[in-house]
Amino acid sequence: WVGRLRNTWMYEKVKEAIIQLKNAMELENVNPTEGLPEELFVFSSTLIPLVNVDLLVTNENGQLLLSWRDDIYHGKGWHLPGGCVRLREKLEDRLIKTAEKELSVPIKYNPNPIAVRELMEPEFRYTLVNQLERCHNISFLYECTVIPGLSVPNIVNGVETRWFDYLPDNLLKVHIDLYGDIIENYFNGGEHND
């Protein structure tokens, strides 16, 4: 009986906090379809999995485009460009917006993902207080190409991009876990057409 009473009390506290959050979001004109403030986004990632699109971007020379990442969630290293899907946003729309934001050039892409993978962070991430932050991802990998004649800048929105003829040693573990087999196969001649 005491346990039920305590759970009811905790539920009421959570319910009140949710009402306050809804009111604050309305007051601050937060529209989840346009993205969330960083703190709210990170908190929401402790409650539900994140859905991502990742871009396997290649060029006419058979190279793979990677961008540099350095954050508390996945560490330092090269990774495939990608982005989190917003509420009421189609995967294809996020793919196009990610290319604009992370590559600054339009791309051609196959509308059917070449892989759909799920990853739950299995290891302790010493940089995080809350291990549930960004710990569960469902990722859709799309095959993309840069339109011939266009070039991706070396720095896009302050982030370094680079074309690779090989799998770099410092590819982020999260992308090795998600797509290591696909990327290795690409560099071993299995994915790209010459």
Side-chain angles (χ1 to χ4, degrees):
W1 182 84
V2 172
R4 271 189 278 159
L5 181 61
R6 194 176 111 224
N7 287 341
T8 301
W9 177 80
M10 287 187 337
Y11 174 76
E12 290 301 320
K13 290 287 189 185
V14 170
K15 186 176 170 183
E16 179 60 32
I18 291 170
I19 291 168
Q20 289 176 4
L21 175 61
K22 286 179 180 179
N23 291 338
M25 288 176 62
E26 188 174 309
L27 185 65
E28 296 294 325
N29 296 316
V30 173
N31 182 349
T33 63
E34 295 173 3
L36 297 172
E38 183 69 18
E39 297 83 8
L40 187 53
F41 169 74
V42 170
F43 175 68
S44 70
S45 78
T46 68
L47 303 174
I48 57 173
L50 295 176
V51 177
N52 308 291
V53 296
D54 292 316
L55 286 58
L56 187 77
V57 182
T58 60
N59 64 17
E60 65 271 7
N61 299 321
Q63 296 173 308
L64 179 65
L65 184 71
L66 300 173
S67 58
W68 187 255
R69 183 172 183 157
D70 181 2
D71 66 36
I72 62 172
Y73 304 104
H74 302 294
K76 290 182 182 182
W78 294 103
H79 78 109
L80 299 172
C84 296
V85 178
R86 272 67 168 167
L87 181 67
R88 299 183 64 89
E89 180 177 54
K90 293 181 179 181
L91 294 171
E92 194 169 342
D93 292 338
R94 176 51 35 200
L95 188 151
I96 292 166
K97 289 176 183 175
T98 296
E100 289 171 2
K101 179 181 176 190
E102 297 200 18
L103 310 179
S104 78
V105 296
I107 57 169
K108 293 192 306 186
Y109 58 92
N110 180 341
N112 300 310
I114 60 172
V116 177
R117 304 274 171 91
E118 180 176 35
L119 180 69
M120 288 178 244
E121 290 291 342
E123 298 177 7
F124 179 79
R125 296 174 290 167
Y126 67 92
T127 54
L128 298 179
V129 173
N130 186 343
Q131 294 297 307
L132 293 177
E133 290 178 5
R134 301 190 73 170
C135 73
H136 187 177
N137 295 284
I138 300 169
S139 300
F140 292 77
L141 180 63
Y142 289 88
E143 195 170 26
C144 309
T145 56
V146 172
I147 296 171
L150 297 179
S151 62
V152 177
N154 293 334
I155 303 289
V156 179
N157 293 319
V159 176
E160 182 181 2
T161 62
R162 188 183 302 170
W163 290 102
F164 285 87
D165 295 313
Y166 57 90
L167 181 62
D169 290 335
N170 54 352
L171 184 68
L172 285 179
K173 183 178 180 329
V174 67
H175 277 179
I176 292 171
D177 292 346
L178 279 168
Y179 309 122
D181 59 327
I182 294 170
I183 296 170
E184 285 178 19
N185 189 36
Y186 181 83
F187 284 118
N188 290 328
E191 290 287 325
H192 64 286
N193 300 317
D194 294 326

